[in-house]
């Protein structure tokens, strides 16, 4: 807490009562603040940071902030400084991988202020004492819901609290749902954060409700847009497919907790992720059908979203891509179709989606009796989205309102702000609004003259959808040509495809249709063509003549030709003709929902009218906060949603989930026990020493005792994993260093190379593991290869074959697709088959045969790895960090760092080169210089700054680095004339 000072009081921007209450609580004590989404969490954080920044004598760290939040906080602190005029405020400084040099970080830490540091850099600096934890005034942790026991943020908080009991610690979160999963989740999270108090602020909190529902409440007009019949039919078909898929999952996985496997939960964004998390431990044992259904649920949820947000033509195109993705490759005879594609509901889905774009008979193979009810040509339908019509009506109403009721003198602009879910919807609305008053018919002007100008043109998306349909048909023709070329056999003569050599009798090689098994109900059904082999599930294909006729019908008219295409790259020619500064009172802005950044939009634009094209609970609250925070800014909000749709159900479900989460948190907070942390530094030193005595001397052992805790040298790149945090939690000193050989050095003789399952497979494939093993054998007596599994997955080698989305294409090349789905390769070529020469088992055997001294350790999780390391270190000497770093470098760090003797000189010397990422191009240039060996190259890049410096050095300056002979060659090369002698 900053001391009392004679400076003028700090000005804060917290106009609402609940914001002031939270700030008052945070000033007094450390706590975890859980705020409902949209109530301005970052505004609270920036005001609190400005309060500490104005003191001028603090070192406050921000942990867990991403780049956008750093930008937000930096701008907010600059604004506070401009308003408060506090002379000691210095703003925000960001330390990330781009500014990661050790001297620069040490200087920034010494200067103090408000610092935002990435977790990986901060944990290394705290362990290496580059930043002394006792000098930190306090720490703010953002996104507290992500601070689990094995996270880097929990590691940082533990180091900070063990060395600094006085500094403040405050954590923030606006996602209450993660705090309600598992056993006593809030208590566990509080233990990870070393906090004792929780402050809960839901939307239904009394103070929050009074602040947002006073006399300055925003005017909200709710517009329930009914879906048309075809959209409702498509939605019901997709929901039927989802329900069938969930029931299939329940049948095949009876031993799992399936209480949440409902249709309502399936609409939630993380449903497929939660199912996959439950299936992960047995993923290698589940059937191929189960894996495919889990993948299908993601596709079906995306189809529901696309139905409400895409236009009709784009929706049909998206369905075509889904069917094409499930089609077998050309020439393959094996199908991997998803089960839902064979349902009647899927057939209705595809047919209804096409009927929204064009209508007519799709094939010529139908029975003659059925042809009378269909047209032989395709006619464009181009059904518009219902929300487009409502949006046009709302804009017309706003225009009338602003004309007949001019805005009084107030702070708001007459800007119309339209908020959407993503950039794609924004582009769609921009195109629609730009062309909605342009009529396709060229005789429109004459018609308007006949009506004496009384009626206004009705908004229409005809031009927009016709352009989309032309693009879709051209795209489909291109895809058909590509498939035709791919399906042509290499031995076929040019211009003659495999289909052209087919027998004249279409039924040759199979029984004719009328000879098949009798179908109950009559013989005409048997005449309907069934799905042919190696074809898509979607059997109806438009004929080329029909497509060309449809294209001729939707050719651009004169009105369409005058429309300017969407500009992707503009050379800014004729800029004065197309660009001008618009008045803020005559502007329509379309913007996607962007989390906390929406507050910036509201503050900068100050709109009078807001149209929420899609529902979002957090943005509604941001509008409430914005309206309640400003007296003279009137806001009218049009809230649009499809009635009876998945969109409405998803919105209500999200609000209910948040409310239930806060209810559970309030209940757990009332019953939660107080966490008391044991301070080991207050123990009797003699008792600590006696606990380290090993009295087991049987079998020739010796009595060992040491008062110092064990130590492990860890490569700085390993801090991406949870193992260093767990080692530190087991009272092992973690020394971060830039290691060339190995990842962990346990003793002077034991070096460990840690590999996750995915990293192991990629290392075996590219040969990197062989080089690493060879280097370990050169420098260490006992090299170990640690294969560490994920604790949430099964501890079995068969799980290798079911890895999802691997970083390399290894699985795809050997029988597995990127979605974890088997390809058409035979099962004998899968990774799980040890007989396959390219399987991990086979490669590991080859590795052990080549390096017999190498030992392999199998670990089921990082927790077990920490226990294995503790056992390996018993009764063994501690490793030397200087030697561990020096191995493989051909450089004596000890002599080069002799001048830095003093505080932690050995550790600082070992960590002094961490995070330095060397440029490859100068190394390639220097390696081409005569006399520069690999050893000389390492010395040059470590001791010099750039090639220019080396080129200007003399023989005497280069002699200590590379020797006199090599120095003469280098100097002679750089001073050699470019002309021939």
């Amino acid at each position: 807490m900053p001391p009392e000072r004679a400076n003028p009081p700090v000005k804060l921007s917290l106009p609402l009562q609940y914001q002031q209450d939270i700030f008052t609580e945070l000033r007094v004590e450390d706590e975890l603040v859980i705020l409902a989404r949209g109530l301005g969490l970052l505004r609270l954080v920036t005001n609190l940071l400005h309060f500490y920044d104005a003191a001028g004598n603090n070192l406050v760290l921000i942990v867990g902030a991403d780049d956008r939040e750093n930008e937000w906080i930096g701008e907010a602190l600059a604004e506070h400084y401009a308003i408060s005029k506090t002379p000691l405020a210095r703003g925000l400084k960001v330390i990330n991988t781009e500014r990661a040099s050790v001297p620069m970080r040490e200087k920034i830490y010494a200067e103090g202020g408000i610092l935002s540091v990435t977790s990986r850099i901060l944990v290394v600096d705290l362990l290496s004492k580059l930043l002394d934890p006792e000098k930190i005034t306090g720490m703010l942790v953002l996104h507290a819901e992500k601070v689990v026991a094995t996270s880097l943020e929990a590691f940082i908080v533990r180091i900070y609290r063990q060395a600094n009991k006085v500094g403040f610690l405050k954590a923030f979160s606006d996602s209450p749902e993660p705090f309600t999963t598992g056993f006593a989740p809030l208590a566990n999270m509080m233990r990870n954060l070393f906090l004792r108090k929780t402050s809960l602020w839901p939307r239904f909190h009394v103070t929050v409700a009074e602040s947002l529902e006073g006399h300055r409440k925003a005017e909200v007009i709710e517009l329930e847009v009914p879906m048309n019949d075809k959209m409702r039919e498509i939605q019901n078909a997709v929901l039927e497919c989802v329900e069938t898929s969930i029931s299939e999952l329940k049948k095949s996985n009876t031993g799992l907790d399936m209480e949440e496997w409902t249709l309502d939960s399936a609409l939630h964004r993380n449903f497929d992720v939660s199912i996959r998390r439950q299936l992960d431990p047995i993923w290698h044992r589940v059937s191929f059908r189960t894996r495919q259904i889990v993948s299908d649920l993601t596709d079906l949820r995306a189809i529901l979203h696309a139905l409400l947000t895409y236009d009709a033509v784009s929706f049909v195109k998206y369905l075509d891509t889904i069917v094409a993705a499930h089609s077998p490759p050309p020439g393959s005879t094996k199908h991997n179709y998803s089960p839902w594609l064979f349902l009647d509901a899927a057939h209705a889905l595809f047919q209804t989606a096409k009927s929204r774009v064009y209508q007519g008979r799709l094939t010529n193979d139908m029975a003659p009796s059925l042809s009378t009810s269909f047209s032989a040509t395709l006619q464009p339908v181009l059904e518009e989205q219902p929300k487009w019509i409502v949006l046009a009506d709302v804009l017309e109403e706003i225009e009338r309102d602003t004309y007949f009721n001019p805005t009084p003198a107030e702070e708001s602009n007459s800007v119309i702000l339209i908020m959407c879910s993503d950039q794609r919807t924004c582009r769609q609305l921009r195109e629609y609004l730009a062309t909605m008053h342009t009529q396709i018919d060229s005789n429109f002007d004459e018609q308007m003259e006949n009506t004496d100008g009384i009626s206004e043109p009705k908004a229409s998306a005809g031009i927009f959808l016709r352009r989309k349909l032309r693009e879709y048909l051209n795209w489909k023709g291109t895809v058909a040509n590509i498939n035709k070329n791919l399906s042509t056999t290499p031995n076929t003569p040019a211009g003659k495809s495999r289909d052209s050599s087919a027998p004249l009798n279409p039924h040759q090689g199979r029984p004719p249709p009328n000879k098949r098994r009798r179908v109950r109900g009559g013989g005409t059904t048997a005449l309907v063509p069934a799905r042919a082999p190696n074809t898509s599930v979607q059997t109806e294909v438009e004929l080329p003549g029909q497509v060309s006729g449809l294209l001729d019908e939707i050719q651009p008219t004169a009105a369409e030709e005058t429309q300017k295409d969407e500009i992707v790259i503009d050379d800014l020619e004729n800029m004065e003709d197309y660009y001008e500064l618009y008045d803020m009172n005559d502007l329509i802005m379309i913007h996607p929902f962007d989390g906390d950044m929406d507050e910036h939009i509201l503050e900068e634009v100050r709109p009078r009218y807001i149209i929420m094209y899609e529902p979002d609970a957090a943005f509604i609250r941001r509008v409430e906060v914005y309206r309640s925070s400003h007296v003279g800014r009137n806001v009218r909000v049009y809230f649009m949603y499809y009635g009876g749709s998945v969109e409405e159900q998803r919105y209500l479900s999200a609000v209910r989930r948040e409310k239930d989460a806060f209810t559970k948190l309030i209940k757990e907070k009332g019953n939660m026990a107080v966490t008391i942390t044991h301070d080991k530094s207050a123990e009797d030193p003699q008792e600590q020493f006696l606990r380290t005595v090993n009295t087991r001397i049987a079998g020739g052992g010796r009595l060992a005792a040491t008062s110092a805790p064990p130590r492990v040298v860890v490569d700085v790149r390993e801090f991406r994993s949870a193992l260093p945090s767990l080692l530190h939690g087991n009272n092992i000193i973690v020394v971060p260093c830039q290691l060339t050989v190995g990842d962990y050095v346990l003793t002077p003789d034991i070096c460990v190379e840690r590999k996750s399952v995915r990293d192991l497979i990629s290392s075996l494939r590219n040969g990197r593991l062989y080089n690493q093993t060879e280097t370990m054998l050169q420098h260490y007596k006992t090299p170990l290869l640690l294969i560490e599994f994920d604790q949430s997955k099964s501890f079995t080698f068969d799980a290798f074959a079911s890895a999802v989305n691997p970083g390399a294409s290894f699985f795809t090349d050997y029988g597995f697709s990127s979605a974890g789905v088997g390809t058409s390769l035979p099962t004998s070529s899968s990774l799980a088959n040890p007989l396959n020469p390219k399987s991990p088992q086979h490669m590991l055997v080859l590795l052990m045969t080549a390096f017999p001294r190498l030992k392999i350790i199998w670990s089921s999780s990082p927790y077990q790895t920490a226990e294995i390391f503790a056992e390996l270190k018993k009764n063994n000497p501690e490793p030397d960090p200087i030697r561990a770093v020096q191995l493989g470098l051909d450089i004596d760090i000890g002599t080069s760092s002799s001048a830095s003797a003093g505080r932690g000189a050995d550790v600082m010397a070992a960590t002094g080169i961490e995070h330095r990422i060397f440029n490859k191009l100068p190394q390639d240039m220097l390696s081409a210089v005569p006399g520069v060996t690999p050893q000389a190259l390492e010395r040059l890049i470590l001791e010099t700054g750039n090639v220019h410096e080396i080129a200007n050095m003399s023989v005497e300056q280069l002699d200590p680095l590379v020797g006199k002979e090599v120095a003469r060659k280098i100097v002679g090369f750089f001073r050699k004339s470019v002309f021939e002698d």
Side-chain angles (χ1 to χ4, degrees), residues 379-380 382 465-471 473 547-557 560:
Q379 300 292 331
L382 301 179
L465 290 177
R466 282 163 65 92
R467 183 168 70 237
K468 285 281 186 181
L469 182 55
R470 285 194 297 270
E471 295 172 356
L473 293 176
V547 174
S548 60
L550 181 58
L551 269 174
D552 293 338
E553 189 168 344
I554 60 173
Q555 284 303 308
T557 61
E560 292 180 80

PDB file of all heavy atoms in Angstrom, residues 379-380 382 465-471 473 547-557 560:
ATOM      1  N   GLN A 379     -35.028 -22.341 -61.652  1.00  0.00           N
ATOM      2  CA  GLN A 379     -35.447 -20.956 -61.475  1.00  0.00           C
ATOM      3  C   GLN A 379     -34.847 -20.431 -60.173  1.00  0.00           C
ATOM      4  O   GLN A 379     -34.913 -21.103 -59.144  1.00  0.00           O
ATOM      5  CB  GLN A 379     -36.978 -20.859 -61.398  1.00  0.00           C
ATOM      6  CG  GLN A 379     -37.696 -21.372 -62.623  1.00  0.00           C
ATOM      7  CD  GLN A 379     -37.457 -20.481 -63.830  1.00  0.00           C
ATOM      8  OE1 GLN A 379     -37.237 -19.276 -63.678  1.00  0.00           O
ATOM      9  NE2 GLN A 379     -37.476 -21.074 -65.022  1.00  0.00           N
ATOM     10  N   PRO A 380     -34.249 -19.236 -60.190  1.00  0.00           N
ATOM     11  CA  PRO A 380     -33.683 -18.696 -58.939  1.00  0.00           C
ATOM     12  C   PRO A 380     -34.788 -18.289 -57.968  1.00  0.00           C
ATOM     13  O   PRO A 380     -35.792 -17.690 -58.361  1.00  0.00           O
ATOM     14  CB  PRO A 380     -32.884 -17.476 -59.423  1.00  0.00           C
ATOM     15  CG  PRO A 380     -33.519 -17.078 -60.704  1.00  0.00           C
ATOM     16  CD  PRO A 380     -34.021 -18.345 -61.339  1.00  0.00           C
ATOM     17  N   LEU A 382     -33.678 -17.405 -54.316  1.00  0.00           N
ATOM     18  CA  LEU A 382     -32.883 -16.397 -53.578  1.00  0.00           C
ATOM     19  C   LEU A 382     -33.669 -15.823 -52.401  1.00  0.00           C
ATOM     20  O   LEU A 382     -34.013 -14.650 -52.344  1.00  0.00           O
ATOM     21  CB  LEU A 382     -32.435 -15.278 -54.526  1.00  0.00           C
ATOM     22  CG  LEU A 382     -31.572 -15.727 -55.713  1.00  0.00           C
ATOM     23  CD1 LEU A 382     -31.220 -14.555 -56.595  1.00  0.00           C
ATOM     24  CD2 LEU A 382     -30.310 -16.411 -55.228  1.00  0.00           C
ATOM     25  N   LEU A 465     -27.711 -11.203 -53.604  1.00  0.00           N
ATOM     26  CA  LEU A 465     -27.844 -12.659 -53.697  1.00  0.00           C
ATOM     27  C   LEU A 465     -27.582 -13.166 -55.110  1.00  0.00           C
ATOM     28  O   LEU A 465     -27.073 -14.272 -55.288  1.00  0.00           O
ATOM     29  CB  LEU A 465     -29.244 -13.078 -53.231  1.00  0.00           C
ATOM     30  CG  LEU A 465     -29.515 -12.923 -51.729  1.00  0.00           C
ATOM     31  CD1 LEU A 465     -30.942 -13.288 -51.393  1.00  0.00           C
ATOM     32  CD2 LEU A 465     -28.545 -13.774 -50.915  1.00  0.00           C
ATOM     33  N   ARG A 466     -27.935 -12.378 -56.123  1.00  0.00           N
ATOM     34  CA  ARG A 466     -27.635 -12.805 -57.496  1.00  0.00           C
ATOM     35  C   ARG A 466     -26.130 -12.894 -57.715  1.00  0.00           C
ATOM     36  O   ARG A 466     -25.634 -13.827 -58.360  1.00  0.00           O
ATOM     37  CB  ARG A 466     -28.272 -11.830 -58.493  1.00  0.00           C
ATOM     38  CG  ARG A 466     -29.764 -12.044 -58.685  1.00  0.00           C
ATOM     39  CD  ARG A 466     -30.391 -10.818 -59.342  1.00  0.00           C
ATOM     40  NE  ARG A 466     -29.889 -10.610 -60.683  1.00  0.00           N
ATOM     41  CZ  ARG A 466     -30.446 -11.100 -61.789  1.00  0.00           C
ATOM     42  NH1 ARG A 466     -31.544 -11.835 -61.697  1.00  0.00           N
ATOM     43  NH2 ARG A 466     -29.936 -10.855 -62.982  1.00  0.00           N
ATOM     44  N   ARG A 467     -25.380 -11.929 -57.185  1.00  0.00           N
ATOM     45  CA  ARG A 467     -23.920 -11.992 -57.299  1.00  0.00           C
ATOM     46  C   ARG A 467     -23.376 -13.204 -56.556  1.00  0.00           C
ATOM     47  O   ARG A 467     -22.471 -13.896 -57.044  1.00  0.00           O
ATOM     48  CB  ARG A 467     -23.290 -10.706 -56.758  1.00  0.00           C
ATOM     49  CG  ARG A 467     -21.774 -10.681 -56.924  1.00  0.00           C
ATOM     50  CD  ARG A 467     -21.184  -9.318 -56.666  1.00  0.00           C
ATOM     51  NE  ARG A 467     -21.268  -8.969 -55.258  1.00  0.00           N
ATOM     52  CZ  ARG A 467     -21.865  -7.877 -54.798  1.00  0.00           C
ATOM     53  NH1 ARG A 467     -22.467  -7.048 -55.627  1.00  0.00           N
ATOM     54  NH2 ARG A 467     -21.886  -7.606 -53.512  1.00  0.00           N
ATOM     55  N   LYS A 468     -23.931 -13.495 -55.383  1.00  0.00           N
ATOM     56  CA  LYS A 468     -23.506 -14.679 -54.619  1.00  0.00           C
ATOM     57  C   LYS A 468     -23.793 -15.960 -55.401  1.00  0.00           C
ATOM     58  O   LYS A 468     -22.985 -16.895 -55.408  1.00  0.00           O
ATOM     59  CB  LYS A 468     -24.222 -14.714 -53.265  1.00  0.00           C
ATOM     60  CG  LYS A 468     -23.707 -13.728 -52.238  1.00  0.00           C
ATOM     61  CD  LYS A 468     -22.437 -14.251 -51.605  1.00  0.00           C
ATOM     62  CE  LYS A 468     -21.963 -13.373 -50.465  1.00  0.00           C
ATOM     63  NZ  LYS A 468     -20.711 -13.879 -49.864  1.00  0.00           N
ATOM     64  N   LEU A 469     -24.963 -16.018 -56.058  1.00  0.00           N
ATOM     65  CA  LEU A 469     -25.335 -17.233 -56.786  1.00  0.00           C
ATOM     66  C   LEU A 469     -24.425 -17.426 -57.994  1.00  0.00           C
ATOM     67  O   LEU A 469     -24.031 -18.556 -58.308  1.00  0.00           O
ATOM     68  CB  LEU A 469     -26.799 -17.157 -57.217  1.00  0.00           C
ATOM     69  CG  LEU A 469     -27.357 -18.376 -57.962  1.00  0.00           C
ATOM     70  CD1 LEU A 469     -27.144 -19.644 -57.143  1.00  0.00           C
ATOM     71  CD2 LEU A 469     -28.830 -18.190 -58.284  1.00  0.00           C
ATOM     72  N   ARG A 470     -24.079 -16.342 -58.686  1.00  0.00           N
ATOM     73  CA  ARG A 470     -23.143 -16.472 -59.811  1.00  0.00           C
ATOM     74  C   ARG A 470     -21.792 -16.997 -59.337  1.00  0.00           C
ATOM     75  O   ARG A 470     -21.205 -17.899 -59.957  1.00  0.00           O
ATOM     76  CB  ARG A 470     -22.959 -15.105 -60.490  1.00  0.00           C
ATOM     77  CG  ARG A 470     -24.120 -14.674 -61.348  1.00  0.00           C
ATOM     78  CD  ARG A 470     -23.733 -13.501 -62.247  1.00  0.00           C
ATOM     79  NE  ARG A 470     -23.378 -12.324 -61.467  1.00  0.00           N
ATOM     80  CZ  ARG A 470     -24.246 -11.388 -61.091  1.00  0.00           C
ATOM     81  NH1 ARG A 470     -25.526 -11.499 -61.405  1.00  0.00           N
ATOM     82  NH2 ARG A 470     -23.844 -10.326 -60.395  1.00  0.00           N
ATOM     83  N   GLU A 471     -21.299 -16.463 -58.211  1.00  0.00           N
ATOM     84  CA  GLU A 471     -20.024 -16.943 -57.669  1.00  0.00           C
ATOM     85  C   GLU A 471     -20.123 -18.402 -57.258  1.00  0.00           C
ATOM     86  O   GLU A 471     -19.188 -19.194 -57.477  1.00  0.00           O
ATOM     87  CB  GLU A 471     -19.613 -16.076 -56.477  1.00  0.00           C
ATOM     88  CG  GLU A 471     -19.302 -14.629 -56.828  1.00  0.00           C
ATOM     89  CD  GLU A 471     -19.083 -13.786 -55.590  1.00  0.00           C
ATOM     90  OE1 GLU A 471     -19.251 -14.318 -54.476  1.00  0.00           O
ATOM     91  OE2 GLU A 471     -18.762 -12.593 -55.733  1.00  0.00           O
ATOM     92  N   LEU A 473     -22.172 -20.824 -58.457  1.00  0.00           N
ATOM     93  CA  LEU A 473     -22.246 -21.730 -59.607  1.00  0.00           C
ATOM     94  C   LEU A 473     -20.897 -21.849 -60.306  1.00  0.00           C
ATOM     95  O   LEU A 473     -20.501 -22.938 -60.736  1.00  0.00           O
ATOM     96  CB  LEU A 473     -23.312 -21.242 -60.581  1.00  0.00           C
ATOM     97  CG  LEU A 473     -24.762 -21.309 -60.069  1.00  0.00           C
ATOM     98  CD1 LEU A 473     -25.719 -20.706 -61.081  1.00  0.00           C
ATOM     99  CD2 LEU A 473     -25.157 -22.744 -59.749  1.00  0.00           C
ATOM    100  N   VAL A 547     -27.609 -25.754 -65.239  1.00  0.00           N
ATOM    101  CA  VAL A 547     -26.755 -24.759 -64.595  1.00  0.00           C
ATOM    102  C   VAL A 547     -26.484 -23.593 -65.535  1.00  0.00           C
ATOM    103  O   VAL A 547     -26.550 -22.413 -65.150  1.00  0.00           O
ATOM    104  CB  VAL A 547     -25.435 -25.407 -64.131  1.00  0.00           C
ATOM    105  CG1 VAL A 547     -24.483 -24.348 -63.601  1.00  0.00           C
ATOM    106  CG2 VAL A 547     -25.708 -26.459 -63.075  1.00  0.00           C
ATOM    107  N   SER A 548     -26.203 -23.902 -66.806  1.00  0.00           N
ATOM    108  CA  SER A 548     -25.932 -22.820 -67.753  1.00  0.00           C
ATOM    109  C   SER A 548     -27.177 -21.972 -67.977  1.00  0.00           C
ATOM    110  O   SER A 548     -27.099 -20.747 -68.118  1.00  0.00           O
ATOM    111  CB  SER A 548     -25.431 -23.403 -69.081  1.00  0.00           C
ATOM    112  OG  SER A 548     -26.417 -24.264 -69.643  1.00  0.00           O
ATOM    113  N   GLY A 549     -28.356 -22.608 -67.996  1.00  0.00           N
ATOM    114  CA  GLY A 549     -29.589 -21.840 -68.119  1.00  0.00           C
ATOM    115  C   GLY A 549     -29.821 -20.927 -66.939  1.00  0.00           C
ATOM    116  O   GLY A 549     -30.257 -19.778 -67.087  1.00  0.00           O
ATOM    117  N   LEU A 550     -29.507 -21.444 -65.743  1.00  0.00           N
ATOM    118  CA  LEU A 550     -29.651 -20.612 -64.540  1.00  0.00           C
ATOM    119  C   LEU A 550     -28.660 -19.456 -64.549  1.00  0.00           C
ATOM    120  O   LEU A 550     -28.984 -18.325 -64.163  1.00  0.00           O
ATOM    121  CB  LEU A 550     -29.453 -21.488 -63.299  1.00  0.00           C
ATOM    122  CG  LEU A 550     -29.586 -20.800 -61.933  1.00  0.00           C
ATOM    123  CD1 LEU A 550     -30.959 -20.167 -61.787  1.00  0.00           C
ATOM    124  CD2 LEU A 550     -29.344 -21.788 -60.815  1.00  0.00           C
ATOM    125  N   LEU A 551     -27.435 -19.721 -65.024  1.00  0.00           N
ATOM    126  CA  LEU A 551     -26.436 -18.652 -65.103  1.00  0.00           C
ATOM    127  C   LEU A 551     -26.866 -17.569 -66.095  1.00  0.00           C
ATOM    128  O   LEU A 551     -26.672 -16.373 -65.858  1.00  0.00           O
ATOM    129  CB  LEU A 551     -25.080 -19.236 -65.516  1.00  0.00           C
ATOM    130  CG  LEU A 551     -24.143 -19.667 -64.386  1.00  0.00           C
ATOM    131  CD1 LEU A 551     -22.917 -20.366 -64.953  1.00  0.00           C
ATOM    132  CD2 LEU A 551     -23.728 -18.476 -63.538  1.00  0.00           C
ATOM    133  N   ASP A 552     -27.458 -17.990 -67.235  1.00  0.00           N
ATOM    134  CA  ASP A 552     -27.922 -17.002 -68.207  1.00  0.00           C
ATOM    135  C   ASP A 552     -29.019 -16.123 -67.622  1.00  0.00           C
ATOM    136  O   ASP A 552     -29.097 -14.923 -67.923  1.00  0.00           O
ATOM    137  CB  ASP A 552     -28.438 -17.705 -69.468  1.00  0.00           C
ATOM    138  CG  ASP A 552     -27.318 -18.398 -70.234  1.00  0.00           C
ATOM    139  OD1 ASP A 552     -26.143 -18.004 -70.046  1.00  0.00           O
ATOM    140  OD2 ASP A 552     -27.611 -19.348 -70.997  1.00  0.00           O
ATOM    141  N   GLU A 553     -29.835 -16.716 -66.767  1.00  0.00           N
ATOM    142  CA  GLU A 553     -30.957 -15.966 -66.211  1.00  0.00           C
ATOM    143  C   GLU A 553     -30.513 -14.923 -65.194  1.00  0.00           C
ATOM    144  O   GLU A 553     -31.197 -13.919 -64.991  1.00  0.00           O
ATOM    145  CB  GLU A 553     -31.964 -16.941 -65.580  1.00  0.00           C
ATOM    146  CG  GLU A 553     -33.258 -16.279 -65.166  1.00  0.00           C
ATOM    147  CD  GLU A 553     -34.322 -17.305 -64.818  1.00  0.00           C
ATOM    148  OE1 GLU A 553     -34.140 -18.489 -65.184  1.00  0.00           O
ATOM    149  OE2 GLU A 553     -35.328 -16.931 -64.204  1.00  0.00           O
ATOM    150  N   ILE A 554     -29.388 -15.166 -64.529  1.00  0.00           N
ATOM    151  CA  ILE A 554     -28.944 -14.237 -63.476  1.00  0.00           C
ATOM    152  C   ILE A 554     -27.738 -13.432 -63.924  1.00  0.00           C
ATOM    153  O   ILE A 554     -26.940 -12.986 -63.092  1.00  0.00           O
ATOM    154  CB  ILE A 554     -28.620 -14.999 -62.173  1.00  0.00           C
ATOM    155  CG1 ILE A 554     -27.509 -16.032 -62.408  1.00  0.00           C
ATOM    156  CG2 ILE A 554     -29.849 -15.650 -61.589  1.00  0.00           C
ATOM    157  CD1 ILE A 554     -27.029 -16.700 -61.132  1.00  0.00           C
ATOM    158  N   GLN A 555     -27.583 -13.236 -65.220  1.00  0.00           N
ATOM    159  CA  GLN A 555     -26.486 -12.393 -65.703  1.00  0.00           C
ATOM    160  C   GLN A 555     -26.668 -10.967 -65.194  1.00  0.00           C
ATOM    161  O   GLN A 555     -27.793 -10.499 -65.017  1.00  0.00           O
ATOM    162  CB  GLN A 555     -26.449 -12.409 -67.235  1.00  0.00           C
ATOM    163  CG  GLN A 555     -25.861 -13.681 -67.832  1.00  0.00           C
ATOM    164  CD  GLN A 555     -24.447 -13.952 -67.323  1.00  0.00           C
ATOM    165  OE1 GLN A 555     -23.579 -13.085 -67.386  1.00  0.00           O
ATOM    166  NE2 GLN A 555     -24.219 -15.165 -66.829  1.00  0.00           N
ATOM    167  N   PRO A 556     -25.568 -10.252 -64.958  1.00  0.00           N
ATOM    168  CA  PRO A 556     -25.683  -8.900 -64.398  1.00  0.00           C
ATOM    169  C   PRO A 556     -26.480  -7.975 -65.307  1.00  0.00           C
ATOM    170  O   PRO A 556     -26.266  -7.928 -66.520  1.00  0.00           O
ATOM    171  CB  PRO A 556     -24.219  -8.440 -64.287  1.00  0.00           C
ATOM    172  CG  PRO A 556     -23.419  -9.687 -64.276  1.00  0.00           C
ATOM    173  CD  PRO A 556     -24.167 -10.675 -65.101  1.00  0.00           C
ATOM    174  N   THR A 557     -27.411  -7.240 -64.715  1.00  0.00           N
ATOM    175  CA  THR A 557     -28.181  -6.237 -65.439  1.00  0.00           C
ATOM    176  C   THR A 557     -27.431  -4.912 -65.423  1.00  0.00           C
ATOM    177  O   THR A 557     -26.363  -4.780 -64.832  1.00  0.00           O
ATOM    178  CB  THR A 557     -29.562  -6.080 -64.798  1.00  0.00           C
ATOM    179  OG1 THR A 557     -29.390  -5.636 -63.443  1.00  0.00           O
ATOM    180  CG2 THR A 557     -30.320  -7.404 -64.800  1.00  0.00           C
ATOM    181  N   GLU A 560     -26.902  -3.684 -61.980  1.00  0.00           N
ATOM    182  CA  GLU A 560     -25.847  -4.385 -61.253  1.00  0.00           C
ATOM    183  C   GLU A 560     -24.459  -3.972 -61.738  1.00  0.00           C
ATOM    184  O   GLU A 560     -23.503  -3.963 -60.971  1.00  0.00           O
ATOM    185  CB  GLU A 560     -26.020  -5.899 -61.410  1.00  0.00           C
ATOM    186  CG  GLU A 560     -27.253  -6.443 -60.719  1.00  0.00           C
ATOM    187  CD  GLU A 560     -27.394  -7.946 -60.906  1.00  0.00           C
ATOM    188  OE1 GLU A 560     -26.708  -8.694 -60.189  1.00  0.00           O
ATOM    189  OE2 GLU A 560     -28.174  -8.366 -61.776  1.00  0.00           O
TER     190      GLU A 560
END
